[in-house]
Amino acid sequence: MKFRDGMWLAAEGKRLEYAEEVYSTTRLEESRGLRLLCPTKKIMQRADTLNLSTLTIDIETPFDGVLSIETTHWLGALNPGPHFDLFPAGKPSTRHTSITKSPKSMTISSGSISATVKTVDHDFDIRFHATDGSKELTSLLNRSIGLAYGPAPSNPMQTADMRNLHHYIFTQTTLSVGESVHGLGERFGAFNKVGQAITLWNADGGTSSDQAYKNVPLWISSRGYGIFIDTPDKVELEIGSERCCRVQTSVEGQRLKWYIIHGPTPKEILYKYSILTGKPGKVPSWSFGLWLSTSFTTNYDEKTVNSFLEGMKARDIPVEVFHFDCFWLKAFHWCDFVFDSEMFPDPKAQITRLKESGLVKKVCVWINPYLGQVSPVFEIAASKGYLLKRKNGDVFQWDLWQTGMGIVDFTNPEAVEWYVGCLKELFDKGVDCIKTDFGERIPSEDVQWHDSSLDPRKMHNYYAFLYNKIVYEALQERFGENEAVLFARTATAGTQRFPLQWGGDCESTPEAMAESVRGGISLGLCGFSYWSVDIGGFEGYPPPWIYKRWVAFGLLCSHSRLHGSNSFRVPWTVDEDDTSDQGCSKILSTWTLLKARLMPYIFAQAQESANLGIPLSLRAMCFEFPEDSTSWFLDRQFMFGSNLLVAPVFEESGNVEFYLPAGKWTNFFTNETKSGPGWFKETHEFDTLPLYVRENSILVLGKEGETRTVYDYARDVEVRLYCVRKGAKATVVGSEGKEIGVLEVGEDGEVGKQEFLGGEWSVTCLPARDHLSDYVLGAWKNFSLTSPKSDELKLCHLLGAFDRVVQRCYSTGNQVNCNPMAYHIPLRMSSKRRNSPYFIT
């Protein structure tokens, strides 16, 4: 919301009052904080203290590296819930706090971050900076904190009746030259939010609008700090869009609280944010496999489902989870949890047959938190008070989405118990996971929640948290703490605790695929580890080329699901069953099997991501390379974990341009290397894309031809070394998520402590061709040696005007041919221990 008409005038119908100076300061001993009394005019004499507003600003130290700032006009105003569930794992102790005073200022410090408040000269000036003085982060300066009325009262007597007045609190933090702003939930517009006006209000707007399903009041700055706005209420932000040099945050009410979180890196910011709002839950290994959906409005029954899965198996496309979308329920009955008896006369038996066939391991069904009045269940739920009501006592209903639809009131404990009971009946039928759709269009006017103490406007966004929490915890109760999986569309702060989320309704276009990338990386910067997308696009009929490009992108998201609206997403329906190597079926098989092979890497990275509260995929480039200013503007590529760079292809031709940060990068498919920083152009068929491995990486991969998602991630694996140096590490975890061991490169360039690897494991060293000068190639060409050693022969450390080269040759049988010119041929050390001589040419 804009409160000004340019720099000089108030907006029409608005009255503004600003904190003009810090009149007095008081220490808050219990919270180790500081309270500032800030009048809305400069106090030059005693008479100036009369007939004016004051703003109270509390700066507190919740834990090291974080400060909270709460601005209040009238302290006596109620602060009704709901409130975000902060510190769910407990509040950490605050060890490094202090308040110091100088003749002109006071400084409050919380670990690595401090705020310095000017206390002289009738100025309003608060600077947030690194405690060590190395960097100023942002500041609150003249006309940066205030209150506003709308419509503008002509005298203070009118504020005696506030029923027809809107009252706002706003703050404006400064934007430095070149500073960029990111996050604020799953947003599909420009990745850098500077210049945008954003309203944090959950809405079902698709992926091609400024609305968002997942509004999260957290943004991260390229200057090394983040700001979390501590309210589920509607928040409006003007990010360099009212004043070009400031981020304005406003909320209707008497108070506004936010936390400033010092990094300096995005990884450190999100870790501290996860202490505030909770860490992402861990998901089971099977959830990373391919999910196949019936699609939305398509007709299907048991025969249809089986035909899909049999067709996928025949085409070497393993499916881990089959999803029954809306029409497992009877039309007009959504969502009463009752299978449509005409289409599914015995759902439990059907699901049992489906799993026993071996075509799929898990089953998911679609639900929402609404109830259509046509269902007989509606009358029961309404009579028992399970549905949201209007202020006059009527059940709140509208005909949006479902005829006479009511909304489950999750503030009523009995409604929650009933809803969980319905979920348990699904689990009894063999359902393993739940797609929690909707939860965005929650009314905020003329409604009365069962818990009447709650603010209906705050409940609009917070409903997403309650809805997903209830379903997730029901899954945990049935299947185990780390075995619960949602497929959720709506979210707010804290909902990362209930994974996973998907991007909502996108069109079947390359533009929508790019929108989805932006949405995924933005949500990741708000602490969500897992994210998925409707492969092929939800709306419309994807042409084969878009489907195949989307398959490549979708299988490199943390989770991968084929889903559409009014058309199926099995590949043979997209391209008339093209059986060629570049047909949809073969391409889907290729990428599904690649993800299966990557599972030892993916699942280990998933554990780390959840522990740190950071994204697995899609991970914004700036997350891994915050010192590279270009990385803060990259919105068409991302990192999958810390070691893999992914650049989706958006052109039918296969042309793609992408950026590599500083260092050596190895093409996963060809083993060619490129050196960054720099922009590169490539052309790809449908079975590859720019997938680059970061230097100093150890990748643990499943064996060639691996088709399973869940297997022993320490057995029969290939350990790939990419331009490694001493200290390079890779953690190996089991399919249950427990650490098995750590591979680490030692002083000699070798991987030590391999005893926990089993079966026919191997180590592959991938030398980089651009490290080798003609001199080195010549030396290798003329070198030959035969040795009886049985384990390893370390050849040559050649030094010159070129990079140091270390080439290792390992025995996998009776002989090894080592030729650095054939750099793309893997050279391996096998777990086989044979007393066979090396023959090296």
Side-chain angles (χ1 to χ4, degrees):
M1 177 179 291
K2 290 182 171 65
F3 293 105
R4 298 198 67 85
D5 179 1
M7 284 189 64
W8 317 124
L9 304 176
E12 184 176 352
K14 296 292 191 295
R15 174 183 171 85
L16 307 179
E17 300 180 27
Y18 295 98
E20 293 285 359
E21 68 169 284
V22 176
Y23 179 76
S24 65
T25 60
T26 306
R27 294 197 180 205
L28 302 171
E29 296 299 336
E30 288 188 8
S31 62
R32 302 181 185 181
L34 197 60
R35 171 164 288 183
L36 314 180
L37 177 62
C38 304
T40 53
K41 73 175 183 179
K42 297 183 187 297
I43 308 301
M44 301 299 184
Q45 56 186 352
R46 288 189 172 184
D48 292 336
T49 63
L50 305 177
N51 299 315
L52 84 161
S53 304
T54 61
L55 290 160
T56 301
I57 302 173
D58 290 342
I59 306 176
E60 299 178 290
T61 58
F63 62 96
D64 289 348
V66 180
L67 291 169
S68 69
I69 296 86
E70 183 170 27
T71 302
T72 309
H73 179 201
W74 290 335
L75 293 170
L78 297 176
N79 187 19
H83 304 291
F84 286 131
D85 182 17
L86 299 186
F87 302 106
K91 190 173 182 179
S93 59
T94 305
R95 293 171 295 184
H96 302 98
T97 64
S98 65
I99 298 176
T100 57
K101 187 174 183 179
S102 75
K104 295 184 178 182
S105 65
M106 293 189 74
T107 298
I108 178 170
S109 299
S110 176
S112 63
I113 190 172
S114 296
T116 296
V117 180
K118 189 174 182 181
T119 55
V120 296
D121 301 331
H122 302 283
D123 284 342
F124 185 87
D125 187 314
I126 304 174
R127 310 279 174 145
F128 299 97
H129 55 90
T131 299
D132 63 9
S134 59
K135 189 174 187 178
E136 183 170 308
L137 304 174
T138 188
S139 54
L140 294 164
L141 303 178
N142 178 48
R143 291 188 168 185
S144 62
I145 288 186
L147 61 97
Y149 291 101
S154 57
N155 70 69
M157 289 293 291
Q158 291 175 263
T159 62
D161 184 355
M162 293 292 294
R163 288 175 296 177
N164 296 317
L165 289 175
H166 296 279
H167 182 282
Y168 306 90
I169 297 289
F170 61 86
T171 63
Q172 292 184 349
T173 52
T174 53
L175 278 172
S176 298
V177 176
E179 184 175 356
S180 58
V181 169
H182 308 268
L184 294 170
E186 182 191 57
R187 315 210 77 83
F188 304 104
F191 178 47
N192 177 15
K193 303 302 184 285
V194 174
Q196 299 181 44
I198 290 177
T199 300
L200 301 181
W201 189 251
N202 284 356
D204 176 8
T207 68
S208 288
S209 76
D210 61 351
Q211 296 180 359
Y213 301 102
K214 307 170 187 68
N215 287 272
V216 181
L218 170 73
W219 54 271
I220 289 178
S221 164
S222 59
R223 285 187 66 83
Y225 69 93
I227 287 185
F228 167 58
I229 307 156
D230 184 16
T231 178
D233 206 342
K234 178 186 283 188
V235 177
E236 301 198 61
L237 295 110
E238 299 289 341
I239 307 172
S241 50
E242 177 173 309
R243 288 202 65 183
C244 299
C245 57
R246 293 184 179 182
V247 177
Q248 177 175 279
T249 304
S250 64
V251 65
E252 186 171 354
Q254 292 290 335
R255 57 177 53 82
L256 170 60
K257 183 176 183 178
W258 43 262
Y259 294 80
I260 182 166
I261 307 168
H262 184 226
T265 68
K267 185 175 292 188
E268 292 169 290
I269 293 168
L270 285 190
Y271 179 75
K272 293 169 186 174
Y273 172 74
S274 74
I275 295 173
L276 271 171
T277 63
K279 297 186 186 302
K282 293 184 177 180
V283 293
S285 51
W286 57 259
S287 71
F288 292 87
L290 183 63
W291 296 46
L292 175 62
S293 166
T294 61
S295 292
F296 170 33
T297 59
T298 53
N299 291 320
Y300 67 92
D301 54 14
E302 183 172 5
K303 182 179 178 181
T304 309
V305 171
N306 289 343
S307 71
F308 285 167
L309 291 170
E310 288 165 358
M312 297 288 270
K313 182 178 181 181
R315 293 164 176 82
D316 297 318
I317 308 168
V319 176
E320 198 76 29
V321 183
F322 191 83
H323 169 69
F324 292 81
D325 215 57
C326 309
F327 281 96
W328 67 272
L329 298 154
K330 193 172 183 179
F332 294 109
H333 285 221
W334 302 348
C335 174
D336 61 5
F337 295 93
V338 180
F339 275 84
D340 184 342
S341 58
E342 293 183 15
M343 303 298 287
F344 309 100
D346 190 348
K348 183 175 182 178
Q350 178 184 343
I351 292 172
T352 299
R353 289 191 294 270
L354 192 60
K355 292 181 179 179
E356 288 178 347
S357 71
L359 294 171
V360 70
K361 295 185 180 67
K362 303 291 181 179
V363 167
C364 175
V365 297
W366 172 97
I367 67 169
N368 66 30
Y370 311 140
L371 185 56
Q373 69 178 12
V374 175
S375 169
V377 177
F378 180 92
E379 185 176 350
I380 298 171
S383 66
K384 292 188 175 183
Y386 297 164
L387 304 178
L388 177 63
K389 293 181 179 180
R390 297 186 185 273
K391 289 182 177 179
N392 66 3
D394 291 347
V395 171
F396 179 91
Q397 291 181 267
W398 55 14
D399 294 328
L400 182 64
W401 180 241
Q402 289 284 284
T403 300
M405 185 191 84
I407 298 171
V408 178
D409 185 345
F410 290 126
T411 73
N412 182 347
E414 293 182 4
V416 172
E417 184 178 359
W418 163 74
Y419 200 80
V420 170
C422 295
L423 293 170
K424 289 179 178 178
E425 291 182 15
L426 290 180
F427 304 153
D428 290 341
K429 290 180 173 65
V431 172
D432 304 283
C433 43
I434 301 289
K435 174 182 172 181
T436 49
D437 206 352
F438 288 85
E440 302 93 357
R441 290 173 174 163
I442 305 301
S444 58
E445 303 291 337
D446 190 31
V447 292
Q448 180 66 60
W449 293 91
H450 175 80
D451 183 347
S452 60
S453 69
L454 300 177
D455 181 341
R457 200 174 61 222
K458 291 181 181 178
M459 276 297 298
H460 174 88
N461 284 350
Y462 195 73
Y463 190 86
F465 181 88
L466 287 180
Y467 169 35
N468 287 291
K469 180 177 187 288
I470 288 162
V471 179
Y472 186 74
E473 290 180 350
L475 285 161
Q476 284 184 310
E477 182 182 355
R478 172 58 64 95
F479 299 111
E481 180 181 358
N482 296 329
E483 291 292 317
V485 182
L486 301 181
F487 226 89
R489 191 173 75 173
T490 187
T492 188
T495 319
Q496 70 272 6
R497 291 159 51 187
F498 320 123
L500 59 103
Q501 287 71 31
W502 102 98
D505 298 348
C506 47
E507 296 175 314
S508 298
T509 65
E511 293 80 12
M513 188 163 74
E515 292 162 5
S516 296
V517 173
R518 295 194 295 269
I521 60 178
S522 290
L523 188 67
L525 283 173
C526 295
F528 287 72
S529 286
Y530 316 107
W531 184 86
S532 186
V533 66
D534 290 342
I535 295 176
F538 176 73
E539 298 287 355
Y541 300 82
W545 79 265
I546 289 178
Y547 180 89
K548 289 182 284 189
R549 295 297 183 201
W550 212 311
V551 161
F553 160 47
L555 267 297
L556 293 172
C557 298
S558 77
H559 289 76
S560 308
R561 182 183 69 159
L562 294 163
H563 181 66
S565 178
N566 54 1
S567 59
F568 298 124
R569 290 293 179 266
V570 286
W572 57 89
T573 65
V574 177
D575 65 356
E576 299 181 351
D577 203 12
D578 180 353
T579 58
S580 72
D581 285 347
Q582 293 296 311
C584 289
S585 295
K586 181 61 176 177
I587 295 304
L588 180 58
S589 174
T590 297
W591 288 100
T592 304
L593 298 185
L594 175 62
K595 190 171 190 183
R597 194 165 181 228
L598 285 168
M599 274 304 296
Y601 166 77
I602 292 172
F603 203 50
Q605 290 281 315
Q607 309 314 303
E608 179 184 54
S609 296
N611 290 336
L612 296 178
I614 63 177
L616 170 61
S617 181
L618 284 50
R619 184 181 292 185
M621 296 297 298
C622 60
F623 193 88
E624 288 293 328
F625 304 95
E627 298 303 319
D628 185 333
S629 58
T630 300
S631 72
W632 291 91
F633 297 89
L634 298 174
D635 62 4
R636 298 193 304 276
Q637 62 186 76
F638 55 89
M639 297 294 290
F640 193 159
S642 58
N643 302 102
L644 293 179
L645 182 150
V646 181
V649 181
F650 301 99
E651 300 286 343
E652 183 175 7
S653 65
N655 294 333
V656 57
E657 185 174 16
F658 58 97
Y659 178 81
L660 296 177
K664 298 293 183 183
W665 295 85
T666 304
N667 186 307
F668 180 86
F669 300 105
T670 69
N671 297 327
E672 294 179 276
T673 64
K674 288 181 167 65
S675 296
W679 286 91
F680 299 89
K681 293 182 179 180
E682 293 179 354
T683 302
H684 287 262
E685 296 289 345
F686 296 106
D687 54 355
T688 62
L689 52 61
L691 179 62
Y692 278 82
V693 187
R694 191 177 185 175
E695 71 177 6
N696 206 36
S697 293
I698 303 175
L699 287 191
V700 182
L701 306 175
K703 63 186 177 183
E704 287 277 6
E706 181 61 72
T707 63
R708 299 166 297 169
T709 301
V710 183
Y711 52 93
D712 187 342
Y713 300 146
R715 187 175 184 83
D716 298 330
V717 297
E718 179 185 356
V719 180
R720 287 192 181 183
L721 311 179
Y722 290 89
C723 305
V724 294
R725 301 182 296 274
K726 176 190 173 183
K729 292 182 181 180
T731 300
V732 180
V733 302
S735 59
E736 300 298 318
K738 295 182 179 179
E739 182 178 315
I740 296 174
V742 177
L743 298 171
E744 183 173 359
V745 174
E747 292 248 10
D748 55 0
E750 313 259 338
V751 177
K753 295 183 179 179
Q754 305 156 351
E755 62 274 4
F756 53 85
L757 299 179
E760 298 298 319
W761 58 268
S762 62
V763 175
T764 304
C765 181
L766 296 165
R769 180 164 62 180
D770 63 353
H771 280 204
L772 304 176
S773 71
D774 292 339
Y775 174 80
V776 180
L777 292 174
W780 274 98
K781 186 176 181 180
N782 296 321
F783 183 85
S784 65
L785 174 68
T786 300
S787 169
K789 292 185 179 179
S790 60
D791 277 344
E792 176 181 359
L793 184 66
K794 188 182 301 180
L795 305 174
C796 241
H797 291 213
L798 300 174
L799 300 174
F802 45 84
D803 294 337
R804 194 182 82 142
V805 177
V806 180
Q807 172 68 51
R808 301 189 202 93
C809 298
Y810 299 115
S811 172
T812 56
N814 290 329
Q815 71 176 36
V816 175
N817 294 319
C818 296
N819 182 357
M821 296 184 72
Y823 64 94
H824 59 282
I825 300 174
L827 304 173
R828 303 185 176 185
M829 179 179 71
S830 174
S831 57
K832 297 177 182 178
R833 302 299 186 184
R834 299 185 180 182
N835 292 319
S836 302
Y838 285 90
F839 180 78
I840 298 153
T841 60

